[in-house]
Amino acid sequence: MQSKILLLLLFCMIALIARAQNDTTLKFTDLQKDSSVKVDSVKKDTSAVRNLGDPAPPLRVREWIKGTPVTSFEKGKVYVVEFWATWCAPCVASMPHLSALARKYKGRVTFSAVSVHEDRGTRGATAEKLKAFVEGMGNKMDFNVASQDTSFTVRDWLEAYHRDYIPATFVVDGQGRVAWIGHPLKLDTVLKKIIKNTWDIEAESSRRKYADSSQKYLEILDDTVASLVRHYKGKYSDLNDLGFPDSTLMVVEKMVKQEPKLKYAPWTAKYTFTALLRADPNKAYEFGKQAMASPYAWYAYTSIIDDIKDDSRKLTTPKEIYLLGAECYQAKIDRSPPYSSIDDMAKLHHEMADWYRRGGDKVKAIAAEKKAIKLWEKELKTVKKVLE
């Protein structure tokens, strides 16, 4: 880990020197500020955490909304604890799969889902809305459901095991140990082995420690890129300020050359695409397509749309860039959660239609607009029924 930290600091200094050479307004105090933030982050990320094989922490929740409360983990029984949120599309999409597993292993495995971070989403659910949501899911959430205790749940589980994102599935084995942590869609094979007592916790623990440190390392580098190049983007309010895209690309190139996995990380990809839009739209299009096919695709869709909107205020956007943005709209629509409002979906189709039109694809523009109109008509009928 020490070698990685030293390498990170070296990246920072190289990029900062490059930045200073290209920006004569940069002050020495700015260099000190940028480099110290990242060192602090590294120190925090090296703190001790709980490991696989440790006894499961108590499951302290605020309220059990559905099913039978789990007050303790009994020896000889296997438990699955799922952490999710109503605003988390992948979480909601995984619920039918978890329900199928809960029915398959009924009597052998106890499944529970705990809602967390409801205050982070733009449509975060209140206690009443959470209950209504769970009720509306019906047999798609065919297991116990609870809401987090704001003082303990996230701290005891997600933070203690450095699980920074949801959905997050924990499996507690028959000895009361946390045996596995991962995505619910990867639960099947693991659960079979845990039930049969053939699961190797030590091997999984070693693998996870390496994966976590690697992922944290990339996150830190990605944040470093953002810290170093955001000064080059230009002022949003000044339509004549295009910033310094060449400087951005130079810093990114140096960082990615040393760590290739960084190329499509959220911040790195965002600033790369923005810079390419201003320096070479053809390369921006190629990079955007690659980012959409990367492991960070979901971030890319939103980022590309936002960047095209921002730059269209300052530059003439080529047709192929609008078509790229339209593809991102379609990807967002395809991956929207089932509980998305009709009005929101209609707006996405309408905006997508506009970009297909600007890109010169009239056929797709008309098709998207028709879908938007149908959705708004459906919304209107719903409103009329409510008023009646």
Side-chain angles (χ1 to χ4, degrees):
M1 189 65 185
Q2 284 184 332
S3 61
K4 287 186 175 181
I5 294 174
L6 290 173
L7 183 59
L8 171 61
L9 292 175
L10 178 61
F11 288 166
C12 292
M13 293 307 299
I14 292 173
L16 285 167
I17 291 170
R19 172 177 146 195
Q21 291 174 340
N22 285 272
D23 187 352
T24 57
T25 64
L26 187 66
K27 299 178 181 179
F28 180 70
T29 53
D30 292 327
L31 294 177
Q32 289 179 312
K33 182 178 179 181
D34 284 343
S35 59
S36 64
V37 171
K38 293 300 104 186
V39 172
D40 288 342
S41 296
V42 173
K43 289 178 180 177
K44 290 178 182 178
D45 287 331
T46 57
S47 60
V49 296
R50 295 176 66 91
N51 298 312
L52 292 184
D54 289 346
L59 188 57
R60 295 184 277 193
V61 302
R62 181 179 63 192
E63 179 184 8
W64 286 95
I65 299 170
K66 180 178 180 178
T68 304
V70 176
T71 56
S72 64
F73 298 113
E74 298 180 30
K75 292 292 180 67
K77 295 185 178 180
V78 177
Y79 297 82
V80 170
V81 183
E82 175 76 6
F83 294 96
W84 69 291
T86 57
W87 49 262
C88 169
C91 297
V92 177
S94 300
M95 292 304 174
H97 177 67
L98 284 171
S99 296
L101 289 177
R103 289 189 287 268
K104 178 179 179 180
Y105 293 108
K106 187 174 182 179
R108 289 185 287 173
V109 182
T110 299
F111 283 73
S112 301
V114 182
S115 173
V116 296
H117 297 318
E118 287 296 346
D119 58 335
R120 292 190 182 182
T122 55
R123 300 195 189 104
T126 60
E128 293 73 21
K129 289 183 178 179
L130 177 59
K131 291 178 182 178
F133 179 89
V134 172
E135 183 179 350
M137 289 290 286
N139 62 7
K140 291 180 181 179
M141 291 185 74
D142 200 8
F143 38 72
N144 309 320
V145 182
S147 58
Q148 77 174 78
D149 183 307
T150 54
S151 300
F152 301 108
T153 314
V154 171
R155 186 197 68 186
D156 291 349
W157 291 80
L158 298 176
E159 292 180 0
Y161 287 89
H162 265 196
R163 188 70 178 185
D164 300 330
Y165 45 90
I166 52 176
T169 307
F170 288 67
V171 180
V172 179
D173 67 10
Q175 297 181 48
R177 304 173 299 177
V178 173
W180 182 79
I181 304 170
H183 193 284
L185 296 182
K186 297 180 180 180
L187 179 60
D188 306 56
T189 303
V190 174
L191 197 54
K192 289 178 183 178
K193 292 182 179 181
I194 292 175
I195 292 173
K196 293 179 180 179
N197 292 317
T198 59
W199 179 246
D200 190 337
I201 291 183
E202 291 185 4
E204 177 64 13
S205 180
S206 297
R207 186 205 65 77
R208 182 174 179 270
K209 286 177 183 177
Y210 174 79
D212 278 3
S213 62
S214 177
Q215 183 62 31
K216 283 291 179 185
Y217 178 57
L218 287 176
E219 289 176 4
I220 294 169
L221 287 180
D222 193 35
D223 287 342
T224 300
V225 171
S227 178
L228 296 177
V229 304
R230 62 168 48 99
H231 307 273
Y232 297 142
K233 191 175 181 180
K235 294 181 179 179
Y236 179 84
S237 58
D238 187 349
L239 298 182
N240 295 314
D241 186 1
L242 299 179
F244 301 92
D246 290 340
S247 297
T248 295
L249 295 173
M250 181 181 68
V251 172
V252 169
E253 182 181 1
K254 287 179 179 294
M255 298 287 278
V256 172
K257 185 176 181 180
Q258 296 296 328
E259 180 48 81
K261 293 180 181 178
L262 187 63
K263 186 173 183 178
Y264 301 111
W267 284 117
T268 303
K270 177 177 178 60
Y271 282 106
T272 300
F273 183 75
T274 300
L276 288 173
L277 269 181
R278 300 174 183 186
D280 191 334
N282 289 328
K283 288 185 178 180
Y285 178 85
E286 294 174 3
F287 180 83
K289 294 288 285 188
Q290 294 165 2
M292 289 173 66
S294 75
Y296 299 98
W298 180 253
Y299 296 97
Y301 305 145
T302 300
S303 180
I304 288 172
I305 290 172
D306 290 343
D307 288 340
I308 293 174
K309 286 181 178 179
D310 286 350
D311 270 41
S312 65
R313 299 162 48 252
K314 299 184 177 185
L315 298 169
T316 300
T317 304
K319 289 184 176 181
E320 62 268 21
I321 295 298
Y322 275 122
L323 292 176
L324 176 69
E327 289 182 38
C328 288
Y329 270 115
Q330 185 61 63
K332 287 192 69 173
I333 290 169
D334 292 341
R335 290 160 179 78
S336 293
Y339 57 87
S340 298
S341 74
I342 297 175
D343 184 56
D344 285 347
M345 296 303 294
K347 287 178 180 177
L348 287 175
H349 279 93
H350 175 66
E351 291 171 3
M352 178 174 66
D354 181 49
W355 282 18
Y356 271 129
R357 190 177 297 110
R358 292 170 186 252
D361 194 330
K362 294 182 179 179
V363 175
K364 288 186 177 179
I366 293 172
E369 201 68 83
K370 285 182 177 179
K371 289 182 180 178
I373 292 171
K374 285 184 178 179
L375 287 167
W376 271 317
E377 289 176 343
K378 183 179 179 180
E379 176 80 352
L380 182 60
K381 290 179 181 179
T382 302
V383 173
K384 284 183 177 180
K385 287 182 179 179
V386 172
L387 294 176
E388 291 174 357

